[in-house]
Amino acid sequence: MNWQLADSNPEIGRSLLHALRNTGISVLYQDRKLRVLWAQNLPPAWSSADISGRTDHDFLPSSQAERLTAAKQKVIATAHPESLEISFPNREGARWFTVWIDADKSPDGTVQAVVTTAVDITEQKRREQTLKSLLREVAHRSKNLLAIIQSIAAQTGRYSDTIDTFLARFRGRLQSLASSQDLVTSSNWRGADLRDLVLGQVGRYSAKPHETVRFEGENPYLNPNAALHIGLAMHELAVNSVSYGALARPDGFVTVAAHLTAPPENKDLALSWSEKIGAVGNGKKRFGSVALERVVPASLNGTATLDISNNQLDYRLLVPQGSFEIE
């Protein structure tokens, strides 16, 4: 910047000051002894008083004043620009600034002053911190998801007689997991609405899930872990229903109920699936029943029962507090 031109032309000077106010850029002009000759648009974090003739140590925290002073002395000695980031604590945590320090040279090339320009980058820093937190959360949830997939693969293999059977069942369970994961992701990892979760799983096998599923009671919002595992339970129940139960009949339906348990017990969530069914095979345990009775409740620190008798299937899952919220 040609400071002499700005001084000799008031219109240019006024234009520069106006531009500074609009952009939020802060400028500090100091002599070789780092005494302030001119300042404009300084943020409250730096100073709210008249600082003419003062040095950085007079109006900045000592740690930041030392960093800035060292950088400015280097610019005076070398005439090469310097840049750094500094922060100031405040009620909201901290305010961050990117600072550029340039030499102002006289006509003979001597450094006669330094110009410090600062831009508030607090919001950028906060976005960076949020992004880092999200990436850590994604990494954590990805590990959990891989652990769930590994468990599903192992259990599916244990209860499959052939490769084709394994692939068909494993593919269906992965698709179920992906469907639940889509709901979790679309909510910014908050979780999933129970009705949306159930309708999404049943809808993969029923053309009219809103007619074949009848809801009773609450519609809780499930946290991500609960959404994934309850989604798996709903998948197993839907597959069984399409093969042997209500969803195999044109006029069939299932009832899904969700109620809070009454005091003096904790307000846990009692979730149930009920339907009329036909024959269910030879009575041997399959992964579906293992998932419903063991895998899903263990993953939620809850309990579950699966009762199949008198052409009726009743599945009850107790979901502890902390795995859901009632909106």
Side-chain angles (χ1 to χ4, degrees):
M1 171 184 283
N2 190 329
W3 293 94
Q4 292 179 342
L5 178 61
D7 288 338
S8 63
N9 192 322
E11 291 184 2
I12 292 178
R14 285 195 298 272
S15 297
L16 290 173
L17 292 177
H18 185 70
L20 287 175
R21 284 192 292 271
N22 287 344
T23 60
I25 297 174
S26 304
V27 178
L28 196 65
Y29 189 75
Q30 296 165 283
D31 63 18
R32 289 180 59 89
K33 293 184 179 181
L34 299 183
R35 293 172 299 195
V36 176
L37 302 180
W38 183 84
Q40 182 66 31
N41 226 29
L42 291 188
W46 288 43
S47 177
S48 58
D50 181 14
I51 58 174
S52 298
R54 302 169 69 184
T55 66
D56 294 339
H57 285 279
D58 295 325
F59 58 88
L60 293 177
S62 59
S63 59
Q64 303 298 358
E66 289 174 6
R67 292 184 64 209
L68 286 169
T69 298
K72 292 173 183 179
Q73 289 172 340
K74 187 175 180 180
V75 170
I76 292 172
T78 66
H80 296 306
E82 294 283 327
S83 64
L84 66 159
E85 289 184 359
I86 59 176
S87 64
F88 299 93
N90 67 0
R91 298 176 186 175
E92 300 173 357
R95 297 212 68 83
W96 285 84
F97 299 86
T98 295
V99 177
W100 293 271
I101 304 169
D102 295 281
D104 182 32
K105 300 178 183 178
S106 62
D108 62 3
T110 304
V111 177
Q112 61 181 2
V114 291
V115 183
T116 302
T117 309
V119 175
D120 192 325
I121 58 167
T122 303
E123 291 306 314
Q124 176 186 329
K125 281 289 185 181
R126 287 174 180 168
R127 286 194 296 269
E128 290 175 358
Q129 292 169 355
T130 299
L131 180 59
K132 289 178 181 179
S133 298
L134 287 174
L135 289 175
R136 285 195 295 268
E137 182 69 12
V138 168
H140 172 69
R141 294 193 183 281
S142 296
K143 290 179 181 179
N144 287 347
L145 193 58
L146 289 174
I148 295 171
I149 293 172
Q150 184 179 28
S151 174
I152 291 174
Q155 293 292 342
T156 303
R158 182 178 178 183
Y159 293 94
S160 299
D161 298 326
T162 66
I163 291 294
D164 288 342
T165 300
F166 167 80
L167 290 175
R169 292 175 177 173
F170 186 58
R171 188 179 298 113
R173 285 157 188 158
L174 281 186
Q175 290 172 348
S176 163
L177 202 60
S179 175
S180 299
Q181 183 70 13
D182 284 344
L183 290 176
V184 171
T185 304
S186 66
S187 71
N188 293 324
W189 300 92
R190 183 185 166 208
D193 176 282
L194 175 64
R195 293 190 184 184
D196 289 343
L197 184 70
V198 175
L199 291 174
Q201 295 297 337
V202 174
R204 297 175 56 233
Y205 303 99
S206 172
K208 299 179 180 179
H210 288 85
E211 297 179 10
T212 55
V213 180
R214 300 182 180 180
F215 289 95
E216 296 178 357
E218 305 285 353
N219 182 31
Y221 206 88
L222 307 171
N223 73 16
N225 181 62
L228 294 180
H229 285 93
I230 292 175
L232 178 61
M234 295 299 107
H235 163 77
E236 297 301 328
L237 290 165
V239 168
N240 184 78
S241 184
V242 167
S243 301
Y244 308 106
L247 299 183
R249 302 189 304 272
D251 59 344
F253 66 91
V254 301
T255 300
V256 175
H259 298 283
L260 294 176
T261 57
E265 302 176 44
N266 291 329
K267 287 191 175 181
D268 298 332
L269 183 71
L271 177 63
S272 66
W273 170 297
S274 302
E275 63 175 308
K276 294 290 184 181
I277 62 171
V280 293
N282 57 16
K284 290 175 63 177
K285 285 284 185 180
R286 298 170 297 165
F287 171 65
S289 59
V290 173
L292 293 170
E293 294 179 286
R294 291 166 45 191
V295 176
V296 171
S299 301
L300 302 175
N301 293 320
T303 59
T305 59
L306 177 62
D307 182 23
I308 304 175
S309 60
N310 300 321
N311 295 326
Q312 176 76 20
L313 182 148
D314 292 300
Y315 177 65
R316 294 181 177 83
L317 175 65
L318 189 66
V319 183
Q321 284 181 311
S323 292
F324 66 94
E325 59 184 72
I326 303 295
E327 294 188 317

